[in-house]
């Protein structure tokens, strides 16, 4: 019997078609019933959780008469609340009048707000896995789960990867309910909806699909749900697991979803009609659909005055092209097009390369790989020494390489400027894509010169024009061109001009604010 039960539960964990509403899951495994014999239920549970030291079985008597069993996972349940609101009330003799039903007993005796009646072993094990204590009682073929979870969690901190000079300082953490609460604090409308699902055969990771009803296009929401529904995987431990399962083009080097640690960024995208996916266990939420220009936007663009935000955005686009093309252009000029370099500069570069034994291609690859290694080492080392090692390492290795004649001083300058330019890209995933694409351009430049660079850019532009994110063109609203939505792409227009919401697909709620809100000296003076 017990081995059969374990086999059924294991096989049902592999079912990839589940429908989840709130905290309830409907699947074939729910047909495995709970027995009225509490001893049999205890044996089955102990068999399922054998070699699990953290699963606690606490036998007690309700009103000192009826046999009952409390099961919980130590470290995931609130023991103080269990003692005060479950054990203490149920063990009193004065409650014997509520014996006719376990649900009546719970309703009239226990002061716990979140209570769920469970009729199957599969749902019972799921509730236990979420930290909910379970009570079974002799003579009843169901159990009761209580929402008394408690575990250690990281406090709300400023996100490191998306720091801003001005603006909110709080970021998401690894707990789904905490992240959902931070979004709810910012969007207080009842039109803000959150649907939950569970993904993962063994992890049963809870995710929340967040959207604003009336702003998010229904077909977009349906597509998000369909892509999540077809995922059948052992576990989801981070947002990248889902990102690679739901993107449109898995072989593209560009990220097709936007990931963020900032609640204000997620809330702003929700108000633009996008869908946000929160994953339990990671501070990064997924925002869809995404575009190339969304990846180049930062919170500082909106928390500074629009003139400063526009200037910073232009500077960011300039450094984007520098991070992508600067080493390739240097290789092309030094290999095929020396006549394009001013004479004085050419003589200076030639003098510095006089004792370098390698061609320009080998030189740039050597420096690029060294710089990437130093950057990776700085990320992996502890914070206290990571930045110091990467900076000192770059200085020492660069100076030693120039002195030894392995590389030239101009090459060190080119690689350093390229590295600094890549740091200006606000999204880490986009920065990594640009760093990867830099190497094919370097090889094309070494073989074909500037013609190779142009060929690479044409191929890159063609790919970007065909790329989509949940059906939305990746270069929109530039390609295809939509002039009315360019106010928040190349420039950051003032808020009183951002009247229209971005248009992704289908019908949408066009206007996000009333027209005619430009301030002036005579407005708001009451005359």
């Amino acid at each position: 019997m017990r081995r059969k039960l374990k086999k059924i539960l294991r096989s049902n964990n592999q079912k990839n078609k589940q429908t989840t509403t709130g905290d309830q899951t409907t699947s074939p495994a729910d047909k495995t019933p709970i027995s009225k014999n509490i001893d049999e239920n205890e044996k089955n549970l102990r068999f399922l959780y054998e070699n699990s030291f953290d699963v606690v079985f606490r036998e007690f008597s309700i009103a000192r008469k009826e046999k009952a069993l409390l099961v919980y996972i130590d470290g995931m349940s609130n023991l103080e609340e269990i003692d005060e609101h479950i054990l203490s009330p149920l063990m009193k003799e004065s409650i014997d009048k509520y014996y006719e039903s376990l649900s009546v007993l719970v309703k009239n005796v226990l002061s716990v707000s979140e209570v769920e009646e469970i009729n199957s072993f599969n749902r019972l094990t799921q509730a236990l896995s979420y930290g909910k204590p379970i009570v079974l009682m002799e003579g009843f073929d169901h159990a009761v789960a209580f929402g008394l979870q408690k575990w250690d969690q990281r406090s709300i901190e400023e996100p490191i990867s998306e720091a801003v000079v001005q603006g909110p300082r709080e970021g998401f953490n690894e707990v789904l309910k905490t992240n959902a609460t931070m979004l709810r604090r910012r969007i207080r409308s009842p039109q803000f909806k959150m649907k939950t699902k569970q993904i993962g055969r063994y992890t049963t990771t809870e995710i929340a699909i967040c959207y604003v009803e009336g702003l998010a296009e229904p077909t977009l929401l349906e597509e998000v749900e369909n892509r999540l529904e077809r995922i059948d995987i052992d576990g989801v431990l981070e947002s990248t697991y889902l990102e690679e399962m739901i993107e449109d083009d898995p072989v593209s080097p560009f990220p097709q979803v936007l990931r963020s640690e900032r609640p204000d960024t997620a809330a702003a995208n929700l108000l633009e009609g996008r869908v946000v996916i929160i994953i339990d266990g990671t501070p990064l939420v997924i925002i869809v659909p995404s575009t190339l220009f969304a990846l180049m936007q930062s919170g500082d663009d909106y928390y500074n005055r629009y003139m400063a935000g526009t200037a910073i955005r232009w500077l960011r686009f300039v450094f984007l092209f520098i991070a992508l093309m600067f080493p390739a252009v240097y290789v092309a000029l030094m290999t095929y097009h020396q006549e394009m370099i001013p004479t004085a500069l050419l003589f200076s570069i030639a003098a510095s390369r006089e004792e370098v034994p390698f061609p320009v291609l080998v030189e740039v690859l050597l420096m690029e790989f060294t710089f990437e290694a130093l950057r990776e080492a700085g990320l992996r080392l502890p914070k206290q020494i990571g930045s110091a090692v990467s900076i000192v390492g770059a200085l020492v290795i660069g100076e030693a390489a120039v002195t030894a004649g392995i590389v030239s001083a101009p090459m060190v300058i080119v690689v350093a400027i390229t590295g600094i330019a890549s740091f200006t890209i606000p999204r880490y995933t986009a920065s990594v894509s640009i760093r990867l694409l830099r190497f094919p351009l370097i090889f094309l430049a070494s073989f074909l010169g500037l013609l190779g660079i142009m060929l690479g850019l044409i191929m890159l532009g063609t790919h970007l024009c065909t790329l989509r994110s949940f059906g939305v063109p990746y270069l929109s609203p530039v390609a295809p061109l939509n002039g009315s939505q360019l106010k928040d792409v190349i420039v950051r227009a003032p808020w009183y001009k951002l009247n229209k919401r971005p248009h992704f697909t289908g019908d949408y709620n066009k206007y996000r604010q009333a027209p005619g809100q430009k301030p002036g000296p005579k407005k708001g003076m009451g005359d």
Side-chain angles (χ1 to χ4, degrees):
M1 165 64 183
R2 288 179 291 169
R3 293 188 181 277
K4 181 180 179 182
L5 173 66
K6 197 168 187 177
K7 183 179 180 181
I8 291 174
L9 291 176
R10 186 184 294 113
S11 64
N12 284 323
N13 279 333
Q14 299 177 0
K15 301 291 183 181
N16 65 336
K17 293 298 181 182
Q18 294 183 346
T19 55
T20 304
T21 305
D23 213 22
Q24 301 288 335
T25 302
T26 303
S27 72
D30 287 332
K31 298 178 182 178
T32 308
I34 294 176
S35 172
K36 291 185 178 182
N37 189 325
I38 193 171
D39 293 329
E40 182 179 348
N41 292 331
E42 182 178 358
K43 288 179 181 178
N44 290 333
L45 286 173
R46 288 186 181 275
F47 178 76
L48 289 174
Y49 287 102
E50 61 181 349
N51 300 324
S52 301
F53 75 93
D54 56 339
V55 180
V56 179
F57 295 84
R58 167 68 158 86
E59 297 180 0
F60 67 100
S61 297
I62 296 180
R64 301 184 182 179
K65 296 178 182 179
E66 295 295 334
K67 188 176 181 181
L69 177 67
L70 169 69
V71 187
Y72 63 92
I73 297 180
D74 191 15
M76 296 184 67
S77 299
N78 192 325
L79 300 185
E80 292 79 8
E81 297 290 333
I82 291 174
D83 291 341
E84 180 179 355
H85 297 290
I86 297 179
L87 289 179
S88 180
L90 289 180
M91 296 174 69
K92 293 181 179 179
E93 294 184 3
S94 57
I95 65 170
D96 54 354
K97 58 183 177 179
Y98 298 112
Y99 279 165
E100 64 271 14
S101 171
L102 183 57
S103 59
V104 172
L105 183 66
V106 170
K107 179 180 178 181
N108 290 278
V109 175
L110 303 185
S111 56
V112 180
S113 58
E114 184 180 341
V115 178
E116 178 189 353
E117 189 173 301
I118 294 175
N119 298 301
S120 68
F121 271 99
N122 188 69
R123 184 59 200 144
L124 190 151
T125 56
Q126 287 182 3
L128 274 177
S129 299
Y130 279 96
K132 296 181 179 181
I134 306 293
V135 171
L136 299 103
M137 184 176 171
E138 181 68 37
F140 295 97
D141 59 356
H142 60 271
V144 178
F146 301 92
L148 298 178
Q149 309 96 311
K150 182 182 180 182
W151 52 77
D152 295 332
Q153 65 184 57
R154 184 170 61 92
S155 60
I156 298 175
E157 302 169 351
E158 181 177 1
I160 299 175
S161 61
E162 296 179 70
V164 294
V165 178
Q166 302 182 80
R169 291 290 188 267
E170 63 181 10
F172 291 124
N173 64 9
E174 287 74 17
V175 182
L176 184 143
K177 287 188 176 180
T178 303
N179 298 339
T181 301
M182 284 192 278
L183 285 180
R184 181 68 72 180
R185 282 176 47 217
R186 286 165 171 79
I187 305 178
R188 297 182 173 89
S189 170
Q191 276 70 46
F192 176 42
K193 310 295 184 180
M194 289 185 279
K195 298 180 179 180
T196 60
K197 290 181 178 291
Q198 292 176 348
I199 299 179
R201 298 175 182 174
Y202 297 100
T203 61
T204 59
T205 304
E206 191 171 13
I207 68 170
I209 304 172
C210 308
Y211 64 99
V212 179
E213 192 175 51
L215 301 186
E217 218 281 315
T219 56
L220 171 62
L221 181 63
E222 183 181 357
E223 181 65 19
V224 172
E225 293 180 334
N226 289 339
R227 295 191 187 189
L228 291 173
E229 189 71 26
R230 68 172 182 243
I231 296 176
D232 181 16
I233 190 173
D234 280 351
V236 175
L237 304 179
E238 212 275 332
S239 58
T240 308
Y241 286 61
L242 293 185
E243 177 184 348
E244 295 186 3
M245 291 285 193
I246 63 176
E247 60 187 0
D248 290 57
D249 189 352
V251 298
S252 173
F254 291 95
Q256 293 145 58
V257 304
L258 181 64
R259 293 195 293 169
S260 178
E261 290 185 73
R262 299 188 62 88
D264 55 327
T265 299
N269 281 277
L270 285 169
L271 294 176
E272 289 185 348
R274 290 182 172 91
V275 176
V276 173
I277 305 172
I278 307 175
I279 302 98
D280 190 31
T282 175
L284 289 165
V285 301
I286 293 176
I287 303 171
V288 294
S290 178
T291 64
L292 178 64
F293 302 102
L295 293 169
M296 294 300 296
Q297 295 173 355
S298 171
D300 279 321
D301 296 353
Y302 304 95
Y303 300 144
N304 288 308
R305 288 179 55 81
Y306 69 94
M307 290 178 286
T310 299
I312 294 173
R313 187 171 292 181
W314 286 352
L315 185 67
R316 200 176 293 139
F317 279 109
V318 170
F319 278 102
L320 169 67
F321 286 101
I322 291 176
L324 178 64
M325 299 171 52
F326 196 22
V329 171
Y330 179 81
V331 171
L333 294 179
M334 293 303 300
T335 306
Y336 296 100
H337 311 285
Q338 294 91 343
E339 70 279 0
M340 298 182 64
I341 305 175
T343 304
L345 179 59
L346 180 61
F347 286 158
S348 175
I349 296 175
S352 65
R353 296 198 72 254
E354 186 176 359
E355 297 182 359
V356 176
F358 304 114
V360 179
L361 175 62
V362 176
E363 188 182 5
V364 70
L365 290 177
L366 181 63
M367 286 303 299
E368 283 288 348
F369 281 122
T370 303
F371 187 86
E372 294 296 332
L374 286 170
R375 177 168 13 201
E376 191 67 17
L379 290 174
R380 302 294 169 239
L381 288 170
K383 289 183 181 179
Q384 293 78 3
I385 62 175
S387 57
V389 168
S390 59
I391 294 173
V392 173
L395 293 174
V396 172
I397 293 176
E399 180 66 25
V402 172
T403 304
I406 299 175
V407 297
S408 61
M411 179 56 68
V412 175
I413 296 174
V414 168
V415 173
I417 293 176
T418 304
I420 293 172
S422 66
F423 289 135
T424 63
I425 300 175
R427 304 293 173 183
Y428 178 74
T429 52
S431 174
V432 172
S433 299
I434 297 301
R435 286 157 55 188
L436 290 176
L437 290 170
R438 191 159 60 223
F439 290 97
L441 286 179
I442 290 173
F443 282 107
L444 287 172
S446 68
F447 296 144
L448 299 174
L450 292 179
L451 180 62
I453 296 178
M454 292 303 299
L455 178 62
L457 292 179
I458 290 173
M459 295 171 61
L460 184 59
T462 303
H463 171 70
L464 289 174
C465 288
T466 59
L467 191 61
R468 290 178 176 269
S469 172
F470 283 79
V472 177
Y474 201 60
L475 293 181
S476 64
V478 174
L481 182 63
N482 188 335
S484 64
Q485 296 187 32
L486 293 178
K487 297 178 181 179
D488 193 22
V489 178
I490 306 300
V491 301
R492 204 283 272 178
W495 280 112
Y496 57 81
K497 286 187 174 293
L498 297 177
N499 297 328
K500 293 184 179 180
R501 190 175 281 104
H503 185 194
F504 299 120
T505 179
D507 297 330
Y508 78 113
N509 191 333
K510 181 182 294 186
Y511 296 101
R512 56 181 170 187
Q513 64 186 29
Q517 298 197 66
K518 182 178 180 180
K522 294 185 178 181
K523 293 187 177 182
M525 298 180 64
D527 51 358

